[in-house]
Amino acid sequence: MLTGKKILLGVTGSIAAYKAAHLVRLLVKQSAEVKVIMTPSALDFVTPLTFSTLSKNPALSSFQATDTGTWNSHVELGLWADAFVIAPASANTIAHMAQGLCDNLLLASYLSARCPVIIAPAMDLDMLAHPATQTNLQTLQERSNHLIHTNKGELASGLHGDGRMAEPEEIVAWLDQFFHSKKKFSGKKALVTAGPTYEAIDPVRFIGNNSSGKMGFAIANALAEQGAQVDLVTGPTHERLHHPSVTIHAVVSADDMRDVCVKLFPAMDIAVLSAAVADYKPATKADQKIKKTDGPLVLELTRTPDIAAELGKVKKQGQVLVGFALETENERANAEKKLEAKNFDFIVLNSLNDHGAGFGTPTNKIEIISRHNGSTKFPLKSKAEVANDILQTISSSHG
Ligand code: C5P
C-alpha cells in the first residue's frame, strides 16, 4: 500500500500517456495522493480532465492557472512530493531533463524537485536505442534519478522491440518496493572519500592526478539510497550529487582531506576510501608564481599524510574500513599488502591494465579482497553497479 504517499506524476507526449490514466487510478486505489503535471504535447494525447477526475486534484500543464490567472508553483510541487514519477517519459523530455532545460512546468518541477525522481520511458525502439537517448538516460541515472526499464513488444509504430512503457501495475509495484523495502544501511553513518587531491606548487600550479571522482560519488549515492547518512569528502571534481542524505565536504589537498576525515571518522560505522590521495606534496608552496629560467627546476617533495593508515590505526570494533588499490603491476600482492598495512576490512582492487577500469571511465572491473573472507572477482560493470556490489559485500559480512 502507498497510503499517504504524495506522488507527483509527470505525463509527457507519448502514446503511452493513456496508460498514465490507469496508473493514477491504481495509485489512488493504493491510497496515495496524486497530482498530475502534463507537458504541452501530452495534451495532444490525453486531456487534463481525465487526470483531474481520477486524481481529484487539478491536472496542471502551464505555469499559469487558466481559470484564476495565478501562478502554478513548480517549486511547491517539487517540495510537496514524496516521489516524482515521469510516466511516460518521452525521448524529448528525457533529453531536456539531461540538459537542464525547463521550458515547461514539468521540466521546471523536475529541476526544483528534492524528492526521488523515477523515469519510465516510452518510445519507439530506434529512438530508445539511439546513442543520444542512451547517453541521456545514463546521465540521468548518474544524477540519482531512478529508471523503470521499458518492456519489449509491439510498439505504436507497428514495429516490434524495446520501448514500451512499463505497465502501470509494474510501476506501482516498483514504488511499493521503493518505499517499503528494508534498506541495508538504514541508521548507519558512512564516510566516503573521492576524487584526486591537488598539492600546490605555487599560487597557480599543483600536482594532481587523473581521478574523476566518479567511483566515490557512485558509492556515496548507493550508500544514501540504501539508507545511510553519508559524509562525502571530495577533492576537486566535476561530479555532482544532490541527495538529502549526503553532506559534501569539498577539499583540495591531502592535508585538508585528512583533517576532515580524522574529525568525522570516530562517529562513523563505515568508511570507504576511494580518493586518489597524492602521496607527495611540494615541501614548500611558493608565495608567488615560480618564474621560468633557462635551467631545469627541481622541486623537493615530502610525503602527505596517509589518511587510510591513520584511520586504520584508530578503527574501533564494529567500524568497517574499505580501501581501494589501483595498481599497474603485481596487483594482487600489492593490494593484499595494503589490506594489512592500513588495517582495511576490504580492499577493492582495480587494475589499470583492465580495459574500461580505472580513472575517468563510466565503468570499472574490480576484485574485492576481504580480510577474513577470501575474495570475489566481478565482471566489467557501470560504476553504479560496482558501488552496489561493494555495498552488498560489506553488508553480507557485516550485516
Ligand atoms: O597506498 P595507496 O595510495 O595505494 O593506497 C590506496 C588506498 O589508501 C585508497 O583507499 C586511498 O584512498 C587510501 N589513501 C589515503 N591516504 C593517502 C594515500 C592513500 O587515504 N595518503
Side-chain angles (χ1 to χ4, degrees), residues 8 57 61 127 134 151 155 186 205 266 269 290 310 353:
L8 184 60
N57 278 312
S61 58
M127 296 171 84
Q134 287 301 313
N151 290 333
L155 301 162
S186 280
R205 303 179 180 100
D269 299 293
I290 298 172
E310 204 170 330
N353 297 326

Side-chain angles (χ1 to χ4, degrees), residues 193 273-279 304-308 322-325 327 338 342 344:
T193 68
L273 308 179
S274 66
V277 185
D279 291 323
T304 53
D306 189 326
I307 306 166
V322 184
F324 272 71
E327 302 293 338
K338 276 175 206 169
K342 304 193 190 211
F344 288 143

Side-chain angles (χ1 to χ4, degrees), residues 11 23 36 39 52 55 106 123 159 199 203 236 254-255 266 286 321 325 347 379:
V11 181
L23 176 58
V36 177
T39 59
S52 55
S55 69
L106 185 151
M123 63 195 77
L159 298 173
E199 310 302 327
D255 284 308
L321 190 59
I347 193 154

Side-chain angles (χ1 to χ4, degrees), residues 350-362:
N350 40 183
S351 163
L352 272 188
N353 297 326
D354 284 324
H355 183 67
F359 288 143
T361 60

